[in-house]
Amino acid sequence: MTRTGTSLRRLLAATLAALATAAAGLVATATPAAAATTPGIDVSHYQGAINWTSVRNAGIQFAFIKATEGTSYKDPRFNTNYVAAYNAGVIRGAYHFARPNISSGAVQANYLASNGGAWSADSRTLPAALDLEANPYAGGYCYGKTTSGMRAWVQDFLNTYRSRTGRYAVIYTTTSWWNQCTGNWTAPWANHPLWIARWSSTVGTLPAGAPFWSFWQYTDRGSVPGISGAVDRNYWNGDRSRLIALANNT
């Protein structure tokens, strides 16, 4: 979900997906045929100014909004987007782009929780998401970490976020990144909702041990009234009442 320069994340993700799937299934521009019924988006400052009332009137019911990255970056449009989405009736959640090679997981979880990733039971605030994906910067695909080192980093983040907020963070990832960089780690899926990224008409194979997906990012080239240009489109695997239940931890 992060974008650097000419969207290195999209380029990296597209290249990796092409190795595992047919090129025709790389990017979906149409609605997946077997999708769940609750539509959403994820955004950052790259979408520019957003008319959240138009977004909600178009049927979008939830949004993950970039809050932080690493240990010092806060998205410049986060505060505006987070409040405006809430006021428009969109169920919103913050997300943090992980940089496992620059600090401990605990440091980054605390940075997120202190800069927009906190939680309250107000029917419109989701637990924050940890964005784990191919490294778009220098340092290697898995941020220079061994699988055991990556597991320890992720667990440190998750434990700290739960200590700060009382919630299990959502985990955003691709199957290929997760299986390679964590060594097919299965433990987090007992409690942490999976947000799977796969730009296709089907969700495909899930990360090792994941029994089901909670959120699915199925394209990075969606179109939504109120947003100028392309936007990531997502589904929640259930109806709005179940999404509100996740928001309220009930």
Side-chain angles (χ1 to χ4, degrees):
M1 289 179 289
T2 191
R3 291 161 177 84
T4 303
T6 57
S7 189
L8 289 176
R9 180 191 67 81
R10 290 178 176 170
L11 178 59
L12 286 167
T15 301
L16 292 167
L19 296 174
T21 62
L26 180 60
V27 175
T29 56
T31 301
T37 58
T38 305
I41 56 175
D42 62 87
V43 301
S44 71
H45 73 277
Y46 285 95
Q47 274 66 50
I50 296 174
N51 184 325
W52 285 98
T53 298
S54 294
V55 169
R56 181 67 186 94
N57 288 342
I60 297 301
Q61 300 192 46
F62 71 91
F64 279 103
I65 300 169
K66 185 171 184 179
T68 51
E69 177 175 327
T71 60
S72 60
Y73 177 83
K74 183 172 180 178
D75 189 279
R77 299 200 72 90
F78 173 76
N79 287 346
T80 297
N81 281 332
Y82 207 58
V83 172
Y86 179 95
N87 289 339
V90 176
I91 301 168
R92 83 280 166 85
Y95 79 83
H96 173 82
F97 185 81
R99 300 282 302 279
N101 57 341
I102 67 172
S103 79
S104 69
V107 167
Q108 294 189 37
N110 279 317
Y111 185 65
L112 167 64
S114 297
N115 288 277
W119 172 79
S120 58
D122 55 20
S123 298
R124 294 187 197 170
T125 303
L126 295 165
L130 172 62
D131 179 355
L132 291 163
E133 57 183 275
N135 182 7
Y137 308 108
Y141 181 70
C142 297
Y143 298 85
K145 291 195 171 293
T146 63
T147 55
S148 60
M150 186 61 76
R151 291 184 186 190
W153 190 95
V154 172
Q155 193 64 66
D156 192 30
F157 184 102
L158 298 176
N159 288 347
T160 303
Y161 183 78
R162 179 158 169 76
S163 178
R164 283 290 303 270
T165 67
R167 297 302 308 272
Y168 292 106
V170 175
I171 298 174
Y172 169 97
T173 195
T174 65
T175 296
S176 60
W177 187 94
W178 184 266
N179 289 349
Q180 178 175 335
C181 295
T182 74
N184 297 305
W185 190 28
T186 63
W189 310 129
N191 296 303
H192 296 273
L194 168 62
W195 180 6
I196 185 71
R198 184 169 187 265
W199 303 337
S200 183
S201 59
T202 61
V203 73
T205 302
L206 299 180
F212 55 85
W213 57 272
S214 294
F215 299 93
W216 170 23
Q217 184 191 76
Y218 63 87
T219 184
D220 70 334
R221 298 184 183 179
S223 177
V224 174
I227 298 177
S228 176
V231 63
D232 296 340
R233 293 292 304 264
N234 298 268
Y235 278 107
W236 157 250
N237 194 3
D239 62 21
R240 183 179 173 90
S241 69
R242 296 311 306 155
L243 187 61
I244 292 173
L246 175 64
N248 286 336
N249 199 24
T250 57

